[in-house]
Amino acid sequence: RASGARPLIQIHDELVFEVPARQADRFARRMKRTLEEPPAPDFRVPVVVEPKAGDRFGELANLGPEVLSPYWVQRVWHRLRRW
């Protein structure tokens, strides 16, 4: 809740959150890391989380590795290249 995220809806295996734009990258990284953890020590099926972001549900776009990486240098470099 510290990120200001608010759950909106769950559609089958999709979770939709409303998150302030300034917190979206951090929230996506944390949710991906949390949701991909095995639910039990002997759980062997990989759980794949594909975070997306956008202003509207129909306009969601995949977040690339530069956003999901915990390494700030990669994120800053990506933003500088886009600028």
Side-chain angles (χ1 to χ4, degrees):
R1 200 74 164 133
S3 65
R6 184 174 74 132
L8 294 180
I9 191 170
Q10 176 183 349
I11 304 169
H12 300 288
D13 63 344
E14 295 188 26
L15 302 171
V16 180
F17 291 87
E18 184 176 61
V19 183
R22 67 184 183 282
Q23 295 290 333
D25 292 356
R26 182 175 179 207
F27 179 77
R29 284 191 308 275
R30 293 178 74 192
M31 285 300 292
K32 179 175 173 55
R33 183 175 59 238
T34 301
L35 292 172
E36 287 185 341
E37 289 180 3
D42 58 343
F43 193 80
R44 301 285 182 234
V45 178
V47 177
V48 179
V49 176
E50 298 172 341
K52 298 178 181 181
D55 292 331
R56 292 173 186 70
F57 188 74
E59 300 174 356
L60 298 179
N62 288 326
L63 297 177
E66 64 280 347
V67 172
L68 299 174
S69 170
Y71 302 105
W72 67 271
V73 173
Q74 291 177 358
R75 291 196 317 270
V76 170
W77 175 246
H78 173 73
R79 289 187 177 151
L80 285 174
R81 285 187 305 174
R82 286 187 0 196
W83 184 50

